């Protein structure tokens, strides 16, 4: 916090500012006006904002901002740093040049791997960075209790403990919305902790409406980032919800937000968020800045678009000193050299320039060392081809086969020879094998997958929502074992193997989901993995195939370390039923 | 707080609501729309808001709101209950029928009389009332240290202690704005406490602008209710200030707010407040409702006007569950039977009907008993005519005479006979005598006042900003003593005396500033006092004459218990200088 005495003297013009930015156009996200202004900064705080013609410009550093617009730094109200696969330090270096100065992270993935230790690691790794990192307490660890085994389980006690930390500002997306509405004990107790503490409680629902939506809101959870169209955005606003507009490419609701603005006028409870941004997208298209850019290009006035990524998220997050260029607020300021393209020329955080021209002025440093548990998180034995055999008795097996990447389930009768299901001669099949990797059980389960494109070899990852167990998809049991073993040795990541050779390895040695490397380097390795997967036949979204396949909250059938989950019924169904000769004959008749 | 399990079941339609309001038009202050809706309530909370045609209307009480609009209860973000001269219980009964369901009080007057005990009395007297009373810690007790002696002095320690209370939500108007800007120790330490605690800090400035306004904002104090015109409202909004729009008749800035809305579009950081509403105005014109009414009548859309008295103050006060009719928010709801006239038909607080048709359903009750110190607060001796003689030596006196109710100072040479200044033969003069009444000193001081209209008798009060010492204005020393003694016996209030007879007495026996009686009764006695003052010659604003005369922050010359204050210089000047014969002759030459 700036020295109070000096701050006031700088404001009065009795002492020189540390930085004066003059000659630029201020984008006022409170009044939605754009006008010339001079901004004087003392330490981390804006001391004064005066007109363009301020005679008393005096500062250690005077910045000529002619040709530039000044906006507040962007604030991402809901996101997972882990989606970029970088540690907070390298994440910061990737987003600060994009104009993101504050994020409210939900360290949900680290929580699922390492529990409270994972949350604390993500908090502590952010201390001292030029990026402002706030944390929301991950509420759904695991996403669906009983259907998979993640590395940890959070109940009310964990959430209560997290809310004691000053930088933990509320509850992260309460994804178990059915649990809330149906008053299941675990999530109910968690929500009650939030209510009792008056905490911000953020949500995640799908197409909930009517009385069920009312019940979710009555519980006190009043935001969502799954609304996809303008009418829905307006309908939710009417109920007092904060609608989080996702601007990631996988789920871009910016056009809907622009349409809602056209229909309903000024946005009051809409905030732009990223949720998940993969490393390649961050490098190629940007972070929260891409949302502002797209909104402006679709016709939303710039001040309105910037407002939805600055002042409105600051209010939502109850950060009263952020989100506005005004005296007394934190000096988080962007210089924008093309407002319509929302091109960030320079980023200031806490009164210090962090980035210019798309580059960090200096790479961030962090004295924090990830805990030992994070560096040894892949607890699976060394595997062999035999571990990927589907063994059983009888002569045939009725296999329940995932189709359309889990959205459907089909049945196939397959021969059983020498006690193993023979599926490799069916060219459209691959085997999915999910191995618990957190050392809490010995569970692993396999199921066949139709139509993923894989022709040969194997792909594997340790980043698979939400439990982040080891997922191996393959045509060849030996390659599947090799891919698994490669990740076991690398400490996690993505691997592509064929003919016993590792074609690509994107190592994520921190908890099996992060790398302590620049995002750009991670993106290159991810591209290499995707290229290798394409060579093996999986040309369409190989990362998504692996990472979302086991998530037992997504329709309709999902393989986890515990078996094949019928998501609708929240029950296991056998992936293989072994039939003796008689049964097979009966069926044939 | 509503039972969570039942709340969700009511929201889902699985259990009947306690109250269902159906058939009315909802004024949505978030989206600024008006549309038919049905509202279901469970205990103190809104469980659901659905369309007009909700088939699942089931409730213990179903309210047919056809012909009515539904708005959130009004929230007054800055006000002094003491200005109505009623205790919180009777204040609540006066404003709830007007639609006010929440106030943020600054118990500044009680603080000046009784210190922390006075603040706590106003907090505790509000516990259990149907009105929601939040408290802001009074920061300027006394207004100007050294120029008068009030009943208490607050420093940083008192403010810090008050902020520990859950219902104390921030710092009340930091009126000593020069002290802030010039970094005077007392107010600087108080502001630093607020900053360190991240507290809401509210302000009060006059025509401050430029760098001085920036310095005040840089200190973290970001509101004001003294801005009078539209251009100023917009200019302050640009700097991130919350502009509090006073709607009391003494300082009605609603027209300026409407003009600002016409010039600048949707209001985002403007909140309607009352500041001070005298009892007669409250009875005749209303409370915060008069501001909403006037704004609508001047052309502001109803949803926008109601928004500035509901959602925007709720946000400003960081009360996230107030200010909107939406599931999960507190059931503070008004039925309005004429939206353009903003006529309140019924008031609900916490899910219970408090008032209907302008009347409380039941008068409020309070088990709280004011402390003994409040009931014996007029610590002056019994006075006689001699106490109001202006004694001195010599033959003449140079009197410094207040003119224009203190805005000017004139000089008059007056004869001294038998050791007393003779002023009664000058028909345009009256004597003002201010007596310290808090038992901390024996101070009293007198000064002559020109042109107040008083022809005979005397007026007195114990409600005089900000120290609330005993102020007596009279033509006759015997009547002045009688007026003072009448208040001494009544425990404070207003008295008018002539010929030794008490013509009117409005007793304010609680701390000498409040009565534990209905506001309407207080208003009648105030009217009687004003009529008596008029009979004695003071036809114009006799209450204001008495109460604002000694305030040493208002230009230009003010009498306090310690003497005659030159406000600009913040120094005492002698009210009388006694001249011997020689000096007088020299002056005559």
């Amino acid at each position: 916090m700036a020295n109070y005495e000096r701050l006031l003297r700088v404001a009065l013009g009795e002492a020189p500012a540390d930085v004066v930015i003059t000659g630029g156009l201020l984008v006022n996200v409170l009044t939605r006006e754009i006008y010339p202004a001079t901004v004087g900064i003392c330490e981390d705080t804006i001391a004064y904002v005066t007109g363009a013609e301020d005679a008393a410009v005096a500062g250690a550093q005077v910045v000529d901002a002619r040709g530039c617009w000044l906006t507040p730094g962007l604030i991402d109200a809901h996101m997972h740093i882990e989606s970029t696969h970088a540690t907070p330090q390298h994440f910061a270096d990737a987003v600060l040049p994009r104009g993101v100065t504050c994020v409210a992270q939900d360290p949900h993935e680290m929580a699922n791997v390492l529990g409270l230790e994972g949350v604390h690691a993500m908090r502590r790794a952010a201390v001292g960075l030029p990026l402002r990192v706030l944390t929301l307490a991950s509420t759904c660890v695991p996403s669906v209790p009983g259907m998979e085994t993640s590395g940890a389980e959070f109940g009310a006690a964990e959430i209560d403990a997290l809310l004691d930390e000053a930088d933990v500002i509320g509850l992260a997306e309460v994804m178990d919305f059915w649990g809330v509405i149906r008053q299941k004990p675990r999530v109910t107790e968690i929500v009650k902790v939030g209510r009792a503490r008056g905490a911000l409680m953020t949500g995640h629902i799908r197409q909930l409406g009517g009385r069920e939506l009312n019940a979710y809101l009555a519980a006190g959870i009043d935001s969502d980032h799954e609304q996809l169209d303008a009418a829905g955005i307006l309908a939710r606003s009417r109920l007092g919800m904060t609608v989080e507009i996702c601007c990631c490419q996988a789920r871009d609701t910016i056009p809907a937000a622009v349409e809602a603005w056209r229909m309903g006028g000024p946005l009051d409870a809409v905030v732009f968020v990223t949720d998940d941004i993969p490393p390649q997208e961050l490098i190629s298209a940007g972070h929260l800045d891409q949302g502002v850019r797209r909104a402006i290009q679709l016709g939303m006035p710039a001040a309105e678009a910037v407002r939805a990524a600055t002042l409105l998220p600051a209010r939502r997050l109850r950060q009263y000193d952020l989100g506005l260029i005004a005296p007394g607020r934190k000096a988080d300021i962007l210089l924008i050299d093309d407002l319509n393209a929302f091109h960030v020329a320079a980023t200031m955080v806490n009164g210090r320039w962090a980035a210019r021209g798309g580059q960090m002025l200096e790479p961030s440093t962090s004295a924090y060392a990830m805990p030992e548990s994070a560096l040894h998180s892949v607890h699976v034995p060394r595997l062999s081809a035999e571990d990927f055999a589907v063994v059983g008795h009888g002569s045939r097996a009725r296999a329940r086969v995932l189709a359309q990447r889990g959205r459907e389930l089909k049945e196939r009768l397959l021969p059983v020879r020498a006690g193993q299901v023979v599926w490799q001669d069916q060219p459209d099949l691959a085997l999915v094998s999910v191995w618990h990797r957190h050392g809490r059980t010995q569970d692993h389960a396999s199921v066949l997958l139709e139509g993923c494109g894989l022709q040969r070899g194997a792909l594997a990852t340790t980043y698979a929502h939400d439990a982040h167990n080891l997922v191996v998809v393959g045509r060849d049991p030996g390659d599947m074992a090799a891919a698994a073993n490669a990740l076991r040795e690398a400490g996690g990541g993505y691997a592509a193997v064929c003919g016993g050779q590792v074609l690509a390895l994107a190592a994520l040695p921190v908890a099996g989901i992060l790398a302590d490397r620049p995002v750009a380097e991670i993106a290159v390795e991810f591209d290499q993995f995707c290229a290798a997967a394409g060579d093996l036949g999986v040309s369409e979204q190989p990362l998504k195939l692996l990472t979302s396949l086991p998530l037992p909250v997504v329709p309709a059938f999902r393989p986890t370390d515990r078996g094949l989950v019928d998501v609708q019924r929240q029950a296991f169904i056998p992936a293989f039923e072994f039939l003796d000769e008689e049964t097979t004959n009966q069926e044939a008749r």
Side-chain angles (χ1 to χ4, degrees), chain A residues 191-418:
Chain A
V191 171
K192 281 182 170 183
V193 164
R195 285 169 65 84
R197 299 180 65 126
L200 176 70
M201 297 200 284
T202 68
H204 171 131
I205 52 180
R206 285 178 185 266
Q207 298 307 316
L208 214 58
R211 288 300 197 90
E212 286 161 346
L213 178 56
N214 272 276
Y216 192 71
L217 288 163
I221 311 166
D222 60 352
S223 66
D224 174 47
H225 47 267
E226 293 284 335
Q227 185 55 49
L228 301 178
D229 61 48
I233 291 169
L234 291 175
R236 290 181 178 196
S237 294
R238 288 186 189 108
L239 290 173
M241 273 191 115
T242 296
V243 185
E244 297 165 343
I245 302 295
C246 278
C247 61
C248 54
Q249 290 172 354
R251 196 157 21 98
D252 178 17
T253 41
I254 292 288
V258 176
E259 181 63 17
W261 166 78
R262 282 213 177 84
M263 291 163 66
L267 301 176
D268 198 48
V270 158
V271 301
F272 294 174
V273 302
T274 60
D275 200 359
D276 287 324
I277 300 273
Q280 311 97 304
E281 179 179 338
L282 175 45
I283 296 303
S284 63
H287 198 255
L288 196 57
D289 56 314
Q290 64 173 292
V292 177
R293 189 175 306 126
R294 209 142 55 231
I296 296 172
Q297 286 166 353
L298 290 171
M300 190 182 279
E304 189 82 37
V306 176
R307 174 178 160 90
T310 54
L311 183 64
L312 297 184
R315 274 189 194 155
R316 171 64 181 166
L317 300 174
R318 306 180 185 177
Q319 303 297 307
Y320 309 107
D321 55 357
L322 301 182
L324 190 67
I325 298 178
R329 312 274 176 139
K330 292 291 184 211
D332 294 0
I333 297 174
L334 310 183
L335 293 188
I336 306 292
D337 56 15
D338 181 342
L339 188 60
N340 285 329
F342 199 73
H343 184 262
V344 179
T347 304
M348 169 183 277
V349 186
N350 266 333
R352 288 162 178 259
W353 295 108
R356 189 167 294 144
Q359 301 293 326
M360 292 295 287
L361 293 181
E362 291 173 18
S364 300
T365 56
S366 171
Y368 180 76
M370 285 284 166
E372 274 301 301
S373 59
L375 303 179
H376 301 94
S377 71
V378 184
H379 302 280
V380 286
R382 192 166 171 82
L383 301 176
S384 64
E386 290 71 45
D387 293 310
F388 294 92
V390 184
V391 297
H393 54 83
S395 62
R396 294 203 163 203
R398 185 190 290 124
R400 294 196 171 83
V401 177
L402 299 170
Q404 296 196 17
R405 298 187 169 203
R407 285 190 289 276
E408 277 184 32
L409 199 65
K410 297 181 175 175
E411 289 191 5
R412 277 197 208 188
L413 280 177
L414 296 170
V416 176
R417 281 183 214 133

Side-chain angles (χ1 to χ4, degrees), chain A residues 469-540:
Chain A
N469 282 312
L470 171 66
V471 175
V472 190
V473 178
R475 288 279 304 160
D476 179 83
D479 286 341
M480 292 176 80
N485 292 335
L487 293 187
R488 181 176 179 270
E489 269 134 52
Y494 286 92
V497 170
C498 193
Q501 295 297 311
V502 176
L503 306 181
L505 174 65
L508 300 172
V510 178
I513 60 178
L514 303 182
D516 198 17
R517 301 170 62 188
V519 174
E521 293 181 21
I522 299 169
V524 168
E525 291 197 345
F526 274 46
D527 280 340
Q528 289 166 347
F529 170 81
C530 290
D535 288 346
L536 299 177
V538 183
S539 56
E540 198 192 336

